[in-house]
């Protein structure tokens, strides 16, 4: 019942309500992935659908995103495992031209929670910046996020730049429109549809 209320709260842009209900669900012992998938993420899928149909517009999409972020902040400390030292370094960012960061932030949070060191470059990050950060931080993995079909080519550009720089850094890609086939086509070392999968992927790549 309350998960449905979280879902409805995101759709109604109710930041405080989403925060409160997420906290209540956590305290009741509800599984975090259930809160995420059936509540917060599920609602954003409906928001996207309504946007496609033309029954909801950018300002509403943004308000829903703010409500979702409020819920995520409550979950953040609980996405953390007990860890003593870093198992690898990941440079993460949303590619050039793309401002979507909710999924990227969720992936970053879960990676931190899994004991990886995460350097978050934010949104609208160009290829050079990814390369520089990978060098500076001796990154094991560069993780690229894109939510727009028009910004997916920037993933290709970035992976090419990493390879041209001769870095020994793996690259992974994700975001709603990104498929396994696209990942293979641009020579990425991995792809996942969701944040837990992204963590598994990095663990495999760094051998942790
Ligand atoms: C919220 C939102 C916005 C917000 C973003 C706020 C923010 N701070 O992020 C705002 C209002 C700013 C926005 C703007 C726009 N948006 Co928008 N937006 C969305 C919406 C509704 C939800 C995205 C989201 O946060 N989902 C929830 C998160 C948790 O999911 P996720 O991002 O997919 O991430 C998960 C996985 O993909 C994966 N993942 C993500 N990153 C990575 C990275 C790696 C390495 C890995 C392994 C995995 C991984 O793990 C995450 C967690 O499980 C989507 C619809 C949708 N359902 O996707 C449209 C959507 C992405 N937007 C769309 C559009 C068109 C736009 C605009 C162009 C609209 C406009 N006319 O201005 C602008 C573009 C601005 C820009 N330059 O980026 C379209 C894209 C269409 C397309 N095919 O390209 C969508 C699909 C809506 C639609 N149905 O038409 N948007």
């Amino acid at each position: 019942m309350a998960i449905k209320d979280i879902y409805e709260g995101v759709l109604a842009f109710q930041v405080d309500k989403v925060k409160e209900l997420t906290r209540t669900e956590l305290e009741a012992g509800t599984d975090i992935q259930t809160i995420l998938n059936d509540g917060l993420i599920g609602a954003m899928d409906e928001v996207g659908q309504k946007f496609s149909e033309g029954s909801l517009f950018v300002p509403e999409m943004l308000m829903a995103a703010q409500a979702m972020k409020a819920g995520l902040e409550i979950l953040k400390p609980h996405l953390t495992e007990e860890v003593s030292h870093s198992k690898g370094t990941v440079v993460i960012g949303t590619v050039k031209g793309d401002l979507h960061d909710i999924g990227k932030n969720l992936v970053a949070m879960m990676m931190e929670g899994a004991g990886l060191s995460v350097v978050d470059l934010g949104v609208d990050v160009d290829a050079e910046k990814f390369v520089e950060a990978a060098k500076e931080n001796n990154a094991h993995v560069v993780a690229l996020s894109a939510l727009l079909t028009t910004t997916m080519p920037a993933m290709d550009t970035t992976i090419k730049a990493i390879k041209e720089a001769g870095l020994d850094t793996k690259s992974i890609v994700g975001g709603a429109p990104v498929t396994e086939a696209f990942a293979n086509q641009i020579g990425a070392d991995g792809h996942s549809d969701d944040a837990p999968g992204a963590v598994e992927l990095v663990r495999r790549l760094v051998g942790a």
Side-chain angles (χ1 to χ4, degrees):
M1 182 60 204
I3 297 268
K4 185 76 190 149
D5 292 339
I6 293 176
Y7 186 106
E8 298 296 341
V10 173
L11 286 181
F13 326 128
Q14 292 167 319
V15 172
D16 291 339
K17 189 174 165 197
V18 170
K19 228 190 254 181
E20 198 184 298
L21 289 172
T22 304
R23 195 175 287 126
T24 309
E25 278 303 301
L26 258 183
E27 281 165 7
T30 307
D31 177 49
I32 292 180
Q33 290 305 325
T34 308
I35 303 177
L36 267 176
N37 296 331
D38 298 350
L40 300 168
I41 296 180
M44 291 311 282
D45 284 343
E46 183 166 339
V47 168
Q49 228 171 319
K50 287 190 164 163
F51 177 79
S52 299
E53 293 160 9
S55 62
L56 182 150
F57 304 96
V58 172
E60 283 105 334
M61 203 147 68
L62 197 54
M63 288 191 283
Q66 273 156 1
M68 183 193 173
K69 274 187 177 176
L72 265 188
E73 281 305 313
I74 303 291
L75 295 182
K76 188 174 177 179
H78 302 272
L79 294 169
T80 307
E81 280 175 16
E82 285 296 315
V83 276
S84 51
H85 61 90
S86 170
K87 294 171 178 164
T89 301
V90 181
V91 164
I92 191 168
T94 303
V95 296
K96 178 93 187 137
D98 202 319
L99 303 176
H100 294 86
D101 69 355
I102 298 176
K104 184 263 298 165
N105 292 346
L106 185 56
V107 170
M109 277 180 204
M110 291 203 66
M111 284 180 176
E112 277 175 359
L116 295 156
S117 295
V118 177
V119 180
D120 188 346
L121 303 180
V123 296
D124 191 20
V125 182
D126 62 28
E128 293 74 46
K129 201 161 168 203
F130 275 112
V131 171
E132 261 170 45
K135 263 189 214 159
E136 264 172 33
N137 297 283
N138 272 326
H140 299 88
V141 176
V142 172
L144 309 175
S145 182
L147 264 288
L148 299 171
T149 44
T150 49
T151 56
M152 286 165 65
M155 292 180 146
D156 189 15
T157 314
T158 306
I159 289 178
K160 283 205 175 86
I162 292 170
K163 288 186 176 157
E164 276 163 20
L167 298 181
D168 183 24
T169 308
K170 306 278 186 207
S171 55
I172 65 169
V173 292
V178 180
T179 61
E180 194 76 29
F182 178 75
N184 289 335
Q185 186 193 316
I186 63 172
D189 296 296
H191 158 261
S192 164
D193 281 334
D194 58 25
V199 171
E200 273 317 300
L201 193 57
V202 172
R203 280 191 169 144
R204 228 180 314 129
L205 289 172
V206 303

